[in-house]
Amino acid sequence: LALYFHSGEREEKCIIEDVPSDTLVIGNYKVQRWDIHNQEFLESAPGLGMFVTVTTPSAEVLLSKLYGPQGTFSFTSYLSGEHVICLQSNSTRFVAFAGSRLRIHLDIRVGEHFLDESVVQAKDKVNEVNFRLEHLIEQIHHISKEQNYEREREEKFRKTSEETNSNILWWAIVQTLILISIGIWQIKSLRDFFISKKLV
């Protein structure tokens, strides 16, 4: 997931990432500040920091840390589900004057270790192949976790659908019984009325 979004200083922006359990998540970000004179975003935002908070599906704070204007954060999930990743800039100015527009570039990798190409190039061919093989094995493990997680979600969804269908069936049966009962009661009431009026 790679994206950028605009934010005001001290404004909190959150994204939701659906992550399987026991999975490494790595996030890279860069903050740019709007230059009112040049009418463009500057390449960097010196003096600004980014406060990163990660919350688990059970509302437990997994990560809460202040970083610089550009950095990398990482965490390992221990629960599967929707993790909320929030970013909020701190300001070097007073809050009343903290109104600059910011552009935040965010790149999130789930279950993947970044290959350090400089390390790969520095090693001989055998080590390079070994290094890449280990990386592929990690990716296979991650794909397997993703598939298991999707299977769990599909099973949960199927169970919910079956329960809903069962509830609808019983509700239809109850409605039918109520309508039949009302019909019988109306026929009996009409019959009694006609008998009392000596029309039958």
Side-chain angles (χ1 to χ4, degrees):
L1 172 68
L3 55 92
Y4 77 85
F5 51 88
H6 293 147
S7 172
E9 287 190 39
R10 295 187 180 273
E11 181 183 358
E12 186 178 55
K13 294 281 186 175
C14 298
I15 63 165
I16 296 173
E17 191 69 32
D18 207 348
V19 183
S21 62
D22 194 27
T23 301
L24 176 67
V25 179
I26 300 174
N28 283 316
Y29 71 88
K30 181 175 79 170
V31 183
Q32 295 176 298
R33 193 200 298 263
W34 176 255
D35 186 355
I36 197 165
H37 301 297
N38 296 327
Q39 292 294 302
E40 64 179 2
F41 284 98
L42 299 175
E43 192 55 34
S44 64
L48 268 181
M50 190 60 64
F51 197 73
V52 180
T53 307
V54 178
T55 309
T56 66
S58 61
E60 182 181 341
V61 177
L62 194 61
L63 172 70
S64 180
K65 190 174 178 182
L66 180 64
Y67 295 88
Q70 183 172 349
T72 301
F73 61 90
S74 64
F75 64 92
T76 302
S77 63
Y78 65 90
L79 283 176
S80 57
E82 294 181 342
H83 288 66
V84 181
I85 303 170
C86 295
L87 293 95
Q88 181 182 22
S89 66
N90 69 342
S91 179
T92 53
R93 298 175 291 173
F94 295 107
V95 178
F97 300 104
S100 289
R101 285 194 317 174
L102 303 173
R103 177 184 283 171
I104 302 169
H105 297 264
L106 181 62
D107 181 23
I108 293 179
R109 304 286 176 93
V110 178
E112 182 177 328
H113 295 279
F114 292 113
L115 281 173
D116 189 345
E117 293 296 333
S118 62
V119 173
V120 173
Q121 291 171 2
K123 296 185 180 288
D124 58 20
K125 288 292 180 185
V126 175
N127 286 340
E128 180 182 344
V129 171
N130 186 35
F131 187 71
R132 290 188 183 274
L133 190 61
E134 287 176 3
H135 181 70
L136 285 174
I137 290 170
E138 284 179 1
Q139 285 184 322
I140 289 169
H141 287 313
H142 171 64
I143 290 168
S144 176
K145 284 181 196 170
E146 283 277 357
Q147 287 177 333
N148 289 335
Y149 179 52
E150 290 300 326
R151 197 176 295 114
E152 287 173 14
R153 289 181 63 190
E154 191 274 333
E155 189 177 332
K156 195 175 182 181
F157 179 74
R158 184 164 38 84
K159 187 177 178 183
T160 304
S161 298
E162 288 172 358
E163 287 175 358
T164 304
N165 287 338
S166 176
N167 290 338
I168 290 171
L169 176 64
W170 281 111
W171 177 240
I173 291 171
V174 168
Q175 279 184 319
T176 305
L177 291 174
I178 290 171
L179 286 172
I180 291 171
S181 302
I182 290 173
I184 292 171
W185 176 78
Q186 284 181 330
I187 290 170
K188 186 177 181 304
S189 297
L190 278 171
R191 185 170 171 272
D192 292 344
F193 173 76
F194 288 146
I195 290 172
S196 65
K197 294 294 182 180
K198 298 182 180 179
L199 296 172
V200 176

